[in-house]
Amino acid sequence: MSDSTSAAPVVLDAWFDLECPDCHQALTDVHALRARYGDRLEIRLRHFPLEKHKHAYAAAQAAEEAVAQGLGWPYAEAVLARTAGLARGGEPVLLEVARGLGLDAEEFDTALIDGRHLLIVDADQAEGKAIGVTGTPTYVIGDQRLDGGKSQEGLRARIEEIADRLLADRD
């Protein structure tokens, strides 16, 4: 998922499960990276719903509907802020978040029923598996895969090191 229309010189793919508490914690790093690099680093949310999270697949589909309605990242961040509530409340929480952001919740409900975003979520998950993603959050920048699912300690520094090198190579 990407709301970006510009071609950023460096891309960071962030493989997230929107019901994952570790992914919620990883937002701190995402915000810091955005602040440091601005539009020189495109951060793309990639879907990797884990089987252990019952509502993650629906959340990924809902996030794609949010992209279609113009608020992909804000929606994903709002869902991640409510991982515990999503685990307990399920799909009604996804609709509630959409309403809270002023999105068309009825269209969200329809999208979840008709499965219009299934192919995007499935493609992300298949690509993640193909490159060795096994947990979330996992990042890919340049040719490096960084697994944050076990520990996020030092992860942002490693991403910055790689991003700085890639940006310097392009200058």
Side-chain angles (χ1 to χ4, degrees), residues 29 33 36-37 146 152-164:
D29 290 338
L33 291 166
R36 177 173 176 167
Y37 294 103
L146 306 166
Q152 294 178 58
E153 192 71 34
L155 199 56
R156 184 172 71 208
R158 182 73 181 117
I159 292 169
E160 289 172 348
E161 176 186 311
I162 296 166
D164 289 344

Side-chain angles (χ1 to χ4, degrees), residues 9-158:
V10 174
V11 173
L12 172 68
D13 283 327
W15 300 86
F16 278 20
D17 169 324
L18 296 181
E19 196 176 337
C20 171
D22 291 335
C23 292
H24 174 243
Q25 291 177 356
L27 283 178
T28 301
D29 290 338
V30 168
H31 293 153
L33 291 166
R34 282 185 186 143
R36 177 173 176 167
Y37 294 103
D39 63 3
R40 296 180 304 143
L41 179 70
E42 180 182 2
I43 302 172
R44 298 189 306 196
L45 176 64
R46 305 297 300 274
H47 302 292
F48 202 80
L50 301 170
E51 287 184 25
K52 68 181 179 178
H53 294 133
K54 189 166 106 175
H55 306 292
Y57 196 81
Q61 292 177 71
E64 286 302 320
E65 180 57 31
V67 169
Q69 292 189 33
L71 290 177
W73 266 108
Y75 181 83
E77 290 185 20
V79 171
L80 283 167
R82 299 181 63 179
T83 55
L86 178 58
R88 285 189 308 274
E91 290 183 20
V93 172
L94 300 173
L95 302 177
E96 187 178 302
V97 170
R99 279 187 205 93
L101 291 172
L103 298 169
D104 183 345
E106 298 307 317
E107 198 60 31
F108 271 74
D109 193 35
T110 302
L112 290 171
I113 292 167
D114 71 19
R116 68 183 73 161
H117 302 296
L118 289 173
L119 292 177
I120 295 169
V121 175
D122 288 347
D124 273 3
Q125 195 165 40
E127 184 180 340
K129 287 178 182 178
I131 64 169
V133 175
T134 58
T136 58
T138 296
Y139 303 93
V140 176
I141 183 168
D143 61 354
Q144 300 283 314
R145 187 183 76 237
L146 306 166
D147 180 8
K150 293 180 177 55
S151 172
Q152 294 178 58
E153 192 71 34
L155 199 56
R156 184 172 71 208
R158 182 73 181 117

